[in-house]
Amino acid sequence: KNEVEQSPQNLTAQEGEFITINCSYSVGISALHWLQQHPGGGIVSLFMLSSGKKKHGRLIATINIQEKHSSLHITASHPRDSAVYICAVRSAGGGADGLTFGKGTHLIIQP
Amino acid sequence: EAGVAQSPRYKIIEKRQSVAFWCNPISGHATLYWYQQILGQGPKLLIQFQNNGVVDDSQLPKDRFSAERLKGVDSTLKIQPAKLEDSAVYLCASSYSDQETQYFGPGTRLLVL
């Protein structure tokens, strides 16, 4: 069973700061997702990665398969980025394809 | 493109009552997932469907939870009888295939008193 750890659990920063959220997992994966969850429960998929790096606007996601580690970066952070960011992995090796989720990082960007 | 629809958005029941949640996935998505998210935790997979067949229900408490997707489109998740610890957000997600990005519905927030 894959264990997914995120850090930090909580992060408060000032508007404009560069934000990094980390995710590590214990077993080889076929894909890693970064999700954003706003108050009220809605979840949005930000990235799906299997290698390398992806960029969308001010968001950048990287993954190091050898080190079993991924990072989500937010440049020029804004209060509207305040949300819970969740890392989820799909384990490699076939079988059922449900995701294993981290507990999330609660991000607050203060103006 | 319409997203994943869920209803109701909120439900409050007393313990030992029954409750049912409904999910309408994105049109054409063969894979459908139900997740339970307890406050402060990440979502936990309850059941995964591929069309109308169950792929994984290993974490579904089968003594009280049931789910079906009879025609391979809409799905219902039922809890009977509910316990206090079932209070959570129940999320439905769908994807075109089991290798594609999952799209989440808004969730149903259940409170069991």
Side-chain angles (χ1 to χ4, degrees):
Chain A
K1 184 178 184 284
N2 221 331
E3 303 289 335
V4 180
E5 298 286 336
Q6 283 187 238
S7 64
Q9 282 189 287
N10 298 283
L11 178 58
T12 300
Q14 295 298 121
E15 183 174 357
E17 286 188 38
F18 181 81
I19 303 299
T20 296
I21 299 171
N22 297 299
C23 174
S24 60
Y25 50 91
S26 58
V27 178
I29 63 170
S30 59
L32 181 144
H33 298 255
W34 280 103
L35 310 170
Q36 180 191 56
Q37 185 171 29
H38 282 287
I43 291 182
V44 173
S45 178
L46 298 175
F47 296 104
M48 183 173 70
L49 296 163
S50 55
S51 65
K53 176 179 173 178
K54 287 189 176 180
K55 184 176 188 293
H56 182 71
R58 295 180 295 105
L59 301 177
I60 303 166
T62 63
I63 188 167
N64 185 317
I65 296 296
Q66 287 72 31
E67 294 185 3
K68 296 186 176 63
H69 180 269
S70 175
S71 293
L72 176 68
H73 305 285
I74 306 174
T75 61
S77 60
H78 190 276
R80 64 174 174 268
D81 297 326
S82 299
V84 176
Y85 291 84
I86 302 171
C87 171
V89 302
R90 183 193 306 135
S91 297
D97 292 291
L99 299 174
T100 303
F101 291 81
K103 291 186 177 180
T105 294
H106 189 186
L107 174 66
I108 297 173
I109 303 297
Q110 295 176 334
Chain B
E1 175 182 78
V4 176
Q6 288 188 246
S7 68
R9 291 297 308 277
Y10 303 93
K11 191 73 178 179
I12 302 174
I13 61 173
E14 293 181 308
K15 61 184 179 184
R16 293 188 287 273
Q17 283 190 301
S18 301
V19 64
F21 311 129
W22 174 81
C23 173
N24 186 11
I26 292 172
S27 177
H29 281 194
T31 312
L32 186 146
Y33 309 82
W34 282 103
Y35 294 93
Q36 179 195 57
Q37 185 175 24
I38 292 172
L39 188 65
Q41 300 180 18
K44 180 184 84 170
L45 178 68
L46 292 176
I47 189 167
Q48 178 190 343
F49 291 96
Q50 183 71 18
N51 296 309
N52 61 351
V54 175
V55 173
D56 180 14
D57 63 357
S58 57
Q59 297 194 86
L60 188 72
K62 297 181 187 64
D63 57 333
R64 298 184 300 107
F65 285 64
S66 64
E68 59 184 16
R69 194 184 183 200
L70 292 176
K71 296 182 179 179
V73 181
D74 294 6
S75 177
T76 56
L77 175 69
K78 295 180 182 177
I79 308 175
Q80 181 179 10
K83 291 185 176 181
L84 297 177
E85 58 261 35
D86 298 331
S87 296
V89 175
Y90 291 84
L91 295 161
C92 178
S94 71
S95 59
Y96 185 71
S97 74
D98 56 15
Q99 300 298 316
E100 299 290 328
T101 297
Q102 296 183 26
Y103 294 85
F104 286 80
T108 295
R109 191 174 298 274
L110 174 67
L111 177 61
V112 182
L113 304 175

